[in-house]
Amino acid sequence: MKPYAKMVRFLDELPATSAPVILAALGPKMLELSRDRAAGAHPYFSPPEHTAIARQVLGPAPLLVPEIAVSLTPGDSGAAQARDYAKMYLRLPNYTGNLRRLGYNRRGH
């Protein structure tokens, strides 16, 4: 079962009395699901321009809680830390697909 279908099923089975849910959402379908069936979205490992796109999809009311990782270490050491951190995410199709939708490719933006 694909992630979107799993999430729909999860929401269908969630008791009506449960706490509000914020979905991990990157792509348009999951953002729309966040808007329509949840309290909002929590995008992760996405560049800042994704936040504006997510807000457009969600509209003004749902929560939008993006997480953007940064390295506070200056220079080459900070760049190396950022590359090491990103390696795992850049192997996962949901994150790479999101970056491609935003115009990123293997050689940079």
Side-chain angles (χ1 to χ4, degrees):
M1 187 181 291
K2 292 188 176 191
Y4 178 82
K6 284 183 182 181
M7 188 57 68
V8 169
R9 183 175 176 184
F10 168 78
L11 292 171
D12 288 344
E13 295 175 0
L14 194 65
T17 58
S18 67
V21 173
I22 297 174
L23 303 182
L26 295 173
K29 286 173 54 177
M30 198 66 87
L31 287 167
E32 290 168 358
L33 188 64
S34 299
R35 175 194 65 210
D36 298 340
R37 306 261 325 260
H42 174 59
Y44 180 74
F45 197 75
S46 57
E49 62 262 32
H50 182 270
T51 302
I53 293 166
R55 178 50 68 201
Q56 282 182 313
V57 173
L58 292 173
L63 291 172
L64 177 56
V65 189
E67 184 172 336
I68 298 174
V70 299
S71 173
L72 299 177
T73 304
D76 292 340
S77 293
Q81 285 176 352
R83 280 191 298 277
D84 285 344
Y85 175 82
K87 280 181 187 177
M88 179 183 75
Y89 297 102
L90 293 173
R91 291 186 197 117
L92 301 173
N94 57 325
Y95 294 111
T96 56
N98 185 54
L99 292 169
R100 274 192 220 97
R101 273 192 300 275
L102 295 169
Y104 287 81
N105 59 44
R106 294 184 145 242
R107 295 180 201 154
H109 191 59

